[in-house]
Amino acid sequence: MQVPIYMDYNATTPVDPRVLESMLPYFCEEFGNPASRTYAFGWRAEEAVERARKQIAQLINAGPKDIVFTSGATESNNLALKGVAEMYRDQGTHIITQVTEHKAVLDVVKWLERHGFEVTYLPVDSDGLVDPDDVRQALRETTILISIMAANNEIGTLQPIEEIGRIAKEQGVFFHCDAAQALGKVPVDVEAWGADLVSLSAHKIYGPKGVGALYLRLPDSRVALDPLIHGGGHEFGLRSGTLNVPGIVGFGKACEVAASEMAEEAERLRALRDRLEGGICSHIEEVTRNGHPERRLPGTSNLSFAYVEGESLMMGLSGIALSSGSACTSAGHETSHVLTALGLSDELIKASLRFGIGRFNTEQEVDYVIERVRETVERLRALSPIFDGSRALSNVPSTQ
Ligand SMILES: *Cc1c(COP(=O)(O)O)cnc(C)c1O
């Protein structure tokens, strides 16, 4: 076993060797521009791109013509939300989303608010779930778009997407879903979901960084979205610019692997995740689990450790790459808006850890992490004057 251990697969994943292998020919040999239509270099690149389009479409039960390549889920979210808003602003200026969306949705709708749109941010319950009835009640005459994520990146909670899709369809409102975190981990079925737009990313499913896709099934979709990037008319005019052929090939391969291994992998990851939670919670008191107990991603665990100081906890766990509820982002020091939405105090948020278990984690690594977490939390609590006192006062049973 090698230290440091990577257990932050929700942030990004290593490229699967099979994916890398599929990409390699497209750097030096098959380097053609798929938009070059007059010779074989171009044709072969185009063939590779079209194969990837099929592989991706297959994983989400879509048709290859419904896939537009982008630089990642952030761009896909921008294209979906700004593209629909701009195209349909004559029909209405109201958008519905919810508070635990990824910043790549929240920051886009905030931008839209500054440009004449009205946004409803639905709350979530203590498990992170949106209530479909709230969606229904938030609808207005002027609502054009609902944007709700499939799986939350911090707590793994899976939203009731099919119900929300049904509501959107009943009302004739477009439904966008950020599925960056769901893809390859739980079934993504755009038909069953009734989704019009779905954002995808390669680097969360063992593909390369900097490539993603937007699924779209808007009415007459080839012209129904205002593009963000103009110039050359690539990708049906929806996203101009020479395609990232090796990246796209890798994304396709990553989807193919996911399609054949997802069920088995999910079971393995769920078992590792349960082992991790069992190993930690059976030995440490006052640990709470964030996110829905069942309706969540198989490899995700988000735990809060009461009576522990967040920074010391992270320092004690150096050697394990994981995320805390308080991230030092490029934009500054932030506490998780997701854990805030669940009602956690700032202090508890700082003492929260997100474990993202993935394809290359082993049981041995999980056991090592359990050991380190136990040892660190116990050491910090032994130093803490408030821990014993509050434990004596509190009747709150430790959670799971
Ligand atoms: C990672 C992630 C994104 C951003 O995807 P990029 O491809 O890195 O731009 C968006 N939404 C969710 C839910 C994510 O987990």
Side-chain angles (χ1 to χ4, degrees):
M1 195 187 64
Q2 274 191 338
V3 178
I5 288 168
Y6 188 77
M7 206 170 271
D8 201 13
Y9 278 77
N10 293 26
T12 194
T13 61
V15 169
D16 187 294
R18 292 167 288 182
V19 169
L20 176 64
E21 198 184 339
S22 76
M23 294 170 68
L24 288 176
Y26 294 92
F27 286 99
C28 300
E29 296 140 49
E30 302 292 353
F31 57 85
N33 187 331
S36 300
R37 297 272 157 80
T38 51
Y39 44 73
F41 290 97
W43 304 333
R44 286 200 296 268
E46 195 192 12
E47 262 170 39
V49 167
E50 295 317 310
R51 188 166 54 244
R53 223 186 279 283
K54 280 203 197 96
Q55 290 165 318
I56 296 159
Q58 235 157 41
L59 183 56
I60 65 171
N61 192 24
K65 292 207 160 55
D66 303 329
I67 302 293
V68 170
F69 287 113
T70 65
S71 64
T74 300
E75 185 187 328
S76 299
N77 287 342
N78 272 265
L79 176 58
L81 300 170
K82 291 177 185 168
V84 165
E86 187 55 39
M87 199 68 177
Y88 294 93
R89 79 187 302 153
D90 290 348
Q91 292 178 28
T93 53
H94 180 237
I95 296 167
I96 298 170
T97 187
Q98 59 91 19
V99 291
T100 67
E101 290 293 312
H102 193 276
K103 291 284 167 150
V105 164
L106 292 176
D107 286 353
V108 179
V109 295
K110 269 189 236 154
W111 184 89
L112 287 168
E113 278 185 300
R114 295 197 299 276
H115 289 79
F117 290 86
E118 290 170 90
V119 179
T120 299
Y121 299 88
L122 298 175
V124 292
D125 68 11
S126 56
D127 291 330
L129 280 175
V130 171
D131 184 345
D133 281 338
D134 288 351
V135 177
R136 206 184 290 280
Q137 275 165 23
L139 286 163
R140 303 179 192 167
E141 282 282 299
T142 55
T143 307
I144 52 170
L145 177 66
I146 298 170
S147 180
I148 306 280
M149 72 198 325
N152 186 272
N153 44 298
E154 291 189 37
I155 54 177
T157 294
L158 303 171
Q159 297 295 354
I161 291 304
E162 295 187 17
E163 281 171 84
I164 295 166
R166 256 196 307 278
I167 294 168
K169 196 170 266 173
E170 277 165 27
Q171 301 294 318
V173 171
F174 292 124
F175 176 35
H176 167 253
C177 179
D178 178 349
Q181 206 61 240
L183 188 71
K185 298 174 190 157
V186 292
V188 172
D189 184 331
V190 295
E191 288 298 325
W193 287 4
D196 299 294
L197 303 130
V198 178
S199 298
L200 310 170
S201 180
H203 76 98
K204 303 284 174 73
I205 63 158
Y206 312 94
K209 294 169 183 60
V211 58
L214 179 64
Y215 158 83
L216 69 161
R217 188 190 41 193
L218 297 169
D220 194 12
S221 61
R222 288 306 151 225
V223 288
L225 204 60
D226 223 24
L228 300 177
I229 300 176
H230 303 87
H234 306 74
E235 293 299 275
F236 324 103
L238 290 169
R239 206 278 193 174
S240 287
T242 302
L243 292 174
N244 170 4
V245 178
I248 287 167
V249 167
F251 189 11
K253 183 66 184 181
C255 287
E256 187 193 276
V257 172
S260 71
E261 298 181 0
M262 183 165 71
E264 217 176 308
E265 180 160 72
E267 210 170 300
R268 192 183 79 89
L269 295 183
R270 196 172 291 119
L272 287 180
R273 198 255 329 263
D274 291 348
R275 184 183 183 92
L276 178 83
E277 289 187 345
I280 290 174
C281 298
S282 62
H283 277 74
I284 309 176
E285 294 173 83
E286 306 284 354
V287 185
T288 47
R289 185 173 59 199
N290 304 308
H292 196 279
E294 287 97 39
R295 290 188 59 112
R296 65 175 163 154
L297 292 173
T300 302
S301 177
N302 192 308
L303 302 176
S304 298
F305 299 86
Y307 313 111
V308 167
E309 203 266 311
E311 258 169 72
S312 314
L313 179 61
M314 282 305 276
M315 255 184 312
L317 295 173
S318 62
I320 305 168
L322 39 78
S323 287
S324 86
S326 162
C328 268
T329 64
S330 45
H333 203 78
E334 266 178 57
T335 49
S336 156
H337 68 284
V338 175
L339 298 183
T340 301
L342 302 188
L344 272 67
S345 69
D346 271 10
E347 204 147 354
L348 202 52
I349 291 172
K350 285 179 195 152
S352 302
L353 300 174
R354 177 187 71 182
F355 303 88
I357 302 172
R359 186 168 293 168
F360 304 107
N361 284 131
T362 61
E363 208 167 88
Q364 202 187 7
E365 289 179 330
V366 167
D367 289 346
Y368 175 82
V369 171
I370 292 169
E371 210 43 56
R372 293 292 311 279
V373 170
R374 276 190 203 162
E375 172 190 298
T376 306
V377 171
E378 275 161 15
R379 178 169 54 77
L380 293 173
R381 281 184 179 166
L383 299 172
S384 161
I386 47 170
F387 177 59
D388 261 6
S390 62
R391 189 170 45 169
L393 289 172
S394 159
N395 287 321
V396 187
S398 61
T399 313
Q400 292 91 22

